[in-house]
Amino acid sequence: MESSSSERAEIPQNFEDALLDDLVQLIADMLDRLMSLNDRIPLSPESLTRFHSRSAPSISVLDYLKRIVRFTNVEKSCLLITLFNIDQICARMPLFTLSSLTCHRFVITSITVSSKGLCDAFCPNNLYAKVGGISVSELNVLEREFLSMIDWRLMCTREILQEYYVNLVRTHSTGKFIIAGTHSPSNSSDSDMDIDSGQSPPSSPSNARHHHLRLSISEPSAILVEPGTSAAEVPQRPTVEQNVAFAELQQSQDFNTIGERSIRKM
């Protein structure tokens, strides 16, 4: 349902001037919608990564981002570049999905790597790990995995980040935000068209280099990708490590299901 004009919050034209709280809400809304779609894709052994957890964390993505912002003083560009990293990895590794099992680990790893690579001041890994709710050794492993997945390409232009910012405002699920000086507020119908049907509204010349990746139940969802960057569709077989991890994950889920049934009978 579209928000009324009196309930809309006007935010600055440039992401650098936006409030951190508003930026966190915009990013969390997009990640929640991506997870909702990607969680409907059946998990397969070859799609498992080190970012997969055995069960979805109890903390919401919004609260998780707020926690990171509160304790690490992350810069706005590092928050937005997380979305850029998602798209780049989805283009290079079509089997990767940002789901409720991967999102939290991916977010803390992306922010850790981008902060260390792009900012003059950043936190030590033990703080990032503590804030993210994982061990330092696990974060170290995730960092190496992440850098390999993005091919060590840490840089992103300010113009691309601005485009992500504008897209987040335009497609926000509640239509709560509107960019100052514009007359076309974000609304849920735009968001539904982009994500559910895979259609995109006409883009302006300034963002002609990008398009919305088609989002469907059968394939992973992303946000913005450059045309022609998708990896070749080469059949991939699961590794031994992926098969073992997948078996353990299934066993863990089966155990949890049995436990829930036992509780209901009590």
Side-chain angles (χ1 to χ4, degrees), residues 64 68 72 74 108 111-113 115-116 121-134 139:
Y64 194 67
I68 293 173
T72 68
V74 61
I108 189 61
I111 288 175
T112 300
V113 170
S115 296
K116 291 161 70 174
F122 51 87
C123 303
N125 267 27
N126 61 344
L127 179 57
Y128 286 122
K130 185 175 182 180
V131 171
I134 57 179
L139 180 58

Side-chain angles (χ1 to χ4, degrees), residues 208-232:
R209 294 189 303 108
H210 297 275
H211 70 283
H212 289 271
L213 186 66
R214 184 168 66 87
L215 306 179
S216 68
I217 298 176
S218 61
E219 59 188 36
S221 303
I223 306 152
L224 292 172
V225 294
E226 294 187 13
T229 57
S230 296

Side-chain angles (χ1 to χ4, degrees), residues 9-21:
E10 189 174 84
I11 58 177
Q13 292 185 355
N14 299 318
F15 76 86
E16 298 95 335
D17 302 323
L19 296 175
L20 261 177
D21 184 60

Side-chain angles (χ1 to χ4, degrees), residues 61-80:
V61 172
L62 177 59
D63 288 339
Y64 194 67
L65 284 170
K66 286 182 177 180
R67 175 180 170 86
I68 293 173
V69 168
R70 178 183 178 186
F71 293 107
T72 68
N73 295 318
V74 61
E75 294 190 11
K76 298 169 186 176
S77 58
C78 292
L79 289 172
L80 279 172

Side-chain angles (χ1 to χ4, degrees), residues 158-177:
R158 186 264 170 198
E159 289 73 22
I160 291 178
L161 295 184
Q162 176 65 19
E163 187 174 345
Y164 275 96
Y165 171 67
V166 173
N167 185 61
L168 290 176
V169 176
R170 183 181 60 79
T171 63
H172 191 270
S173 60
T174 66
K176 173 183 177 180
F177 298 99

Side-chain angles (χ1 to χ4, degrees), residues 32-47:
D32 277 332
R33 285 183 284 141
L34 286 177
M35 288 190 297
S36 177
L37 284 170
N38 288 335
D39 280 347
R40 295 152 68 184
I41 302 175
L43 189 63
S44 60
E46 57 269 25
S47 66

Side-chain angles (χ1 to χ4, degrees), residues 86-160:
I86 293 171
D87 277 347
Q88 296 312 297
I89 290 176
C90 286
R92 297 187 71 249
M93 305 177 63
L95 290 178
F96 176 78
T97 58
L98 189 86
S99 67
S100 58
L101 297 180
T102 60
C103 185
H104 294 71
R105 280 181 166 87
F106 187 94
V107 166
I108 189 61
T109 306
S110 176
I111 288 175
T112 300
V113 170
S114 58
S115 296
K116 291 161 70 174
L118 305 177
C119 303
D120 293 331
F122 51 87
C123 303
N125 267 27
N126 61 344
L127 179 57
Y128 286 122
K130 185 175 182 180
V131 171
I134 57 179
S135 66
V136 177
S137 59
E138 183 178 6
L139 180 58
N140 292 339
V141 171
L142 292 176
E143 274 192 283
R144 291 192 292 270
E145 180 81 359
F146 180 86
L147 288 167
S148 175
M149 292 171 74
I150 64 172
D151 197 25
W152 295 79
R153 297 178 181 179
L154 299 174
M155 302 303 296
C156 178
T157 65
R158 186 264 170 198
E159 289 73 22
I160 291 178

